[in-house]
Amino acid sequence: MEQSLELMKQLLSCGTDIPLWQYDTEGHLVDTNSEHLVLDKILAHIGGIRYMLRYSRKNKKPLVLGSDMGLTWCAVFAWEKEQLQGIWLLGPVLSGEVPASYIEESVGRYHIDPTFRSQYLQVLRRISVVPTVLLLQYALMLHYCVNGEKLARSDIQFQPRKDIISPMAEQEHPENDRLRFYSSQQALLRMVREGDMHYRQAIAESQ
């Protein structure tokens, strides 16, 4: 498995530069090839780590996680003899461009220390834009590396939109609502254009 994972890391660095993270069965970060640990803090802050742990109690298939800003991760669960051995995470990536103003606003939403504001913004602006279809393909490859099992794209599960935590849930205003609606619609259009058959599921979850 180690050789397969090393090859996977090299493949991810070929043009996409998607970070790879390893977590233990309790959600603690074990290893990563990313220099930006703030991304792990963002995932924890929006409840992504808690959700993937809860998901892993009853499910073994890869899981796509999202954030209110459009960041996307994909979790792959390593199993052996019906026991969860660890979790591998791809991302985050963006499925499309995010308005610069929304990135700026995220400093407050994610409670970023003002001292690190400029570094944080640089990290977000460098996140790779990766088509959903390509991210799912990488997830299937990673699942095969850690479990030796071939899956179809339709096996991959998506975090329901209702379970995505917005750090500003108590401070919502119409402008944010319109931006999220626009971002959701653009993401759905991209999925349709890319031939991603999960677009029907995404539509249902966005209601």
Side-chain angles (χ1 to χ4, degrees), residues 84-153:
L84 181 65
Q85 302 299 313
I87 302 171
W88 293 87
L89 201 69
L90 291 168
V93 300
L94 292 167
S95 59
E97 299 295 336
V98 174
S101 61
Y102 205 46
I103 293 178
E104 292 276 351
E105 290 174 5
S106 71
V107 172
R109 289 201 307 278
Y110 296 128
H111 307 293
I112 302 300
D113 188 326
T115 306
F116 302 104
R117 180 179 182 276
S118 61
Q119 295 95 318
Y120 164 80
L121 292 175
Q122 288 179 13
V123 169
L124 287 193
R125 289 167 182 154
R126 291 175 182 169
I127 291 177
S128 298
V129 175
V130 178
T132 302
V133 170
L134 183 57
L135 177 64
L136 299 185
Q137 190 61 40
Y138 278 132
L140 294 176
M141 294 165 63
L142 181 58
H143 180 86
Y144 181 78
C145 286
V146 300
N147 293 302
E149 178 187 29
K150 294 182 180 179
L151 296 177
R153 196 186 303 167

Side-chain angles (χ1 to χ4, degrees), residues 8-195:
M8 188 71 199
K9 291 177 183 178
Q10 296 302 319
L11 291 173
L12 290 172
S13 68
C14 295
T16 56
D17 197 26
I18 303 175
L20 185 62
W21 310 74
Q22 181 184 5
Y23 292 84
D24 64 19
T25 57
E26 296 182 352
H28 301 128
L29 181 61
V30 175
D31 189 29
T32 181
N33 60 357
S34 175
E35 300 177 356
H36 309 301
L37 296 183
V38 67
L39 297 173
D40 169 67
K41 296 184 182 299
I42 290 176
L43 180 67
H45 187 72
I46 64 174
I49 293 177
R50 184 168 61 252
Y51 184 86
M52 71 181 183
L53 289 176
R54 187 168 76 245
Y55 171 91
S56 70
R57 295 172 190 160
K58 298 181 179 180
N59 301 276
K60 297 182 179 180
K61 307 303 184 185
L63 169 70
V64 174
L65 296 157
S67 78
D68 64 321
M69 195 176 68
L71 297 176
T72 304
W73 293 259
C74 195
V76 169
F77 306 91
W79 290 84
E80 183 177 347
K81 296 180 179 179
E82 298 302 315
Q83 291 293 323
L84 181 65
Q85 302 299 313
I87 302 171
W88 293 87
L89 201 69
L90 291 168
V93 300
L94 292 167
S95 59
E97 299 295 336
V98 174
S101 61
Y102 205 46
I103 293 178
E104 292 276 351
E105 290 174 5
S106 71
V107 172
R109 289 201 307 278
Y110 296 128
H111 307 293
I112 302 300
D113 188 326
T115 306
F116 302 104
R117 180 179 182 276
S118 61
Q119 295 95 318
Y120 164 80
L121 292 175
Q122 288 179 13
V123 169
L124 287 193
R125 289 167 182 154
R126 291 175 182 169
I127 291 177
S128 298
V129 175
V130 178
T132 302
V133 170
L134 183 57
L135 177 64
L136 299 185
Q137 190 61 40
Y138 278 132
L140 294 176
M141 294 165 63
L142 181 58
H143 180 86
Y144 181 78
C145 286
V146 300
N147 293 302
E149 178 187 29
K150 294 182 180 179
L151 296 177
R153 196 186 303 167
S154 58
D155 291 318
I156 298 176
Q157 303 299 304
F158 286 73
Q159 179 184 12
R161 183 169 297 278
K162 63 182 179 60
D163 291 330
I164 295 177
I165 297 175
S166 170
M168 289 191 70
E170 298 179 357
Q171 306 175 34
E172 294 299 337
H173 49 78
E175 182 178 350
N176 280 344
D177 288 339
R178 287 195 298 271
L179 177 57
R180 279 205 309 281
F181 178 78
Y182 171 80
S183 299
S184 298
Q185 294 304 309
Q186 292 303 305
L188 289 173
L189 288 173
R190 280 192 296 274
M191 293 175 75
V192 173
R193 285 198 303 268
E194 294 165 4

